[in-house]
Amino acid sequence: MADHIIDLRSDTVTRPTPGMLAAMTAARVGDDVWGDDPTVIELQTTVADLSGKEAALFLPSGTQSNLAALMAHCERGDEYIVGQIAHTYRCEGGGAAVLGSIVPQPIENEPDGSLPIGKIAAAIKPHGPGLGTHYARTRLLALENTFNGQVVPASYIREAAAFARGKGLATHLDGARVFNAAVAQGSSLAQACEDFDSVSICFSKGLGTPVGSVLTGSRDLIQRAHRWRKVLGGGMRQSGFLAAACLYALEHHVERLAEDHLNAERLAQGLASIEEIEVTTQATNMVFVRIPADHCALLEAYLSEHGVLADVEPEARFVTHLDVAPEDVDAFVEVVKRYFASCG
Ligand SMILES: *Cc1c(COP(=O)(O)O)cnc(C)c1O
């Protein structure tokens, strides 16, 4: 194993930089369950402002942030409409149903992450007296941006959110990587969030902090989410140390996401020159490829012997981030080339 590990499994694997660690060490803290941690308050105010919302709430994870949001929007027996392969539905342990008593109504995602408006319309249940009592009450539309790295088209988001509002539904964005979307489309965070009542933003992905997500929305909604955060065990004490990392990331790690996007492009171009590999999509900091199934386990082991951590599957994803430099991309492509050359 080489000294320097190139880890392409996800952008969650970043380590705090010396500058970030220094900011964390220097943080002024209080007890956030008592509501008096100045650094958490500063982070929440800053993210609320940047996202163009009234209020914000710091939570330990994106999963908890999405769940607290769903529980703040929906009551027991309400329903939310969500993508069949959306993280919120598929990758969060079914928390909405398990812990929130909220009924998920999944809809097949289009490849670009959108949910066709006709299908949303068809999924909304009638309610009111009579037959309406048969159904869960459709309450919320949840979208995700970026989706598999792709920026969901702004025109679609606008149209879907307007449609949902017209039907009396609230809207939530799982914006785990919404900063990548904003940087890629050259918009502000507020523009990327403006069509939604609430947005959950991860700081432990491309922004490079060890922990943390922020939920933004109206003062009322955030107040309800705050109570659910406590119920879900997410009340933290001297969390200003963690919030300081997020404030540092806002200052130093947002614009540089463009470098991750360029590195992903470079990685896609590199892999495209290898006959056995088919690059299917590259968007923001993600590259998706097809790899012959009989090579996957061997290639993964070969990469690992040569200092590269990657999840190699027939449909594989490679992710660039703060700890991946252009030279790392080139080194990775070289190792893949050598592997296939060695197979003769
Ligand atoms: C990572 C991620 C989340 C939240 O995950 P946590 O690991 O709980 O922080 C939510 N949605 C998407 C799309 C994600 O990629």
Side-chain angles (χ1 to χ4, degrees), residues 49-118:
D49 284 348
L50 285 174
S51 62
K53 307 289 184 217
E54 287 174 1
L57 182 69
F58 185 46
L59 299 102
S61 71
T63 297
Q64 190 178 91
S65 178
N66 278 326
L67 179 55
L70 295 179
M71 292 173 77
H73 281 295
C74 301
E75 292 179 13
R76 181 170 187 229
D78 287 351
E79 172 184 79
Y80 83 116
I81 295 176
V82 62
Q84 188 74 254
I85 54 173
H87 197 282
T88 316
Y89 172 62
R90 193 160 185 252
C91 304
E92 296 177 8
V98 177
L99 302 173
S101 299
I102 301 162
V103 183
Q105 167 61 70
I107 288 181
E108 215 62 55
N109 292 86
E110 292 295 305
D112 68 359
S114 64
L115 304 176
I117 289 175

Side-chain angles (χ1 to χ4, degrees), residues 12 61-64 66 87-88 92 144 146 174 176-177 202 204-205 213:
T12 57
S61 71
T63 297
Q64 190 178 91
N66 278 326
H87 197 282
T88 316
E92 296 177 8
E144 182 175 313
T146 61
D174 177 359
R177 296 186 179 85
C202 281
S204 59
K205 307 243 158 117
S213 280

Side-chain angles (χ1 to χ4, degrees), residues 232-256:
L232 296 170
M236 300 182 285
R237 303 293 179 169
Q238 283 70 49
S239 40
F241 289 119
L242 301 173
C246 298
L247 284 164
Y248 181 91
L250 286 176
E251 204 165 316
H252 300 279
H253 294 170
V254 173
E255 277 152 39
R256 66 151 305 286

Side-chain angles (χ1 to χ4, degrees), residues 9 148 277-281 287-296 300 310-318:
R9 292 172 301 169
N148 281 343
I277 293 189
E278 183 197 345
V279 176
T280 51
T281 53
V287 181
F288 290 84
V289 301
R290 288 207 182 93
I291 298 173
D294 50 337
H295 282 291
C296 289
E300 185 169 308
D311 192 14
V312 182
E313 290 175 39
E315 312 254 343
R317 179 190 81 164
F318 303 115

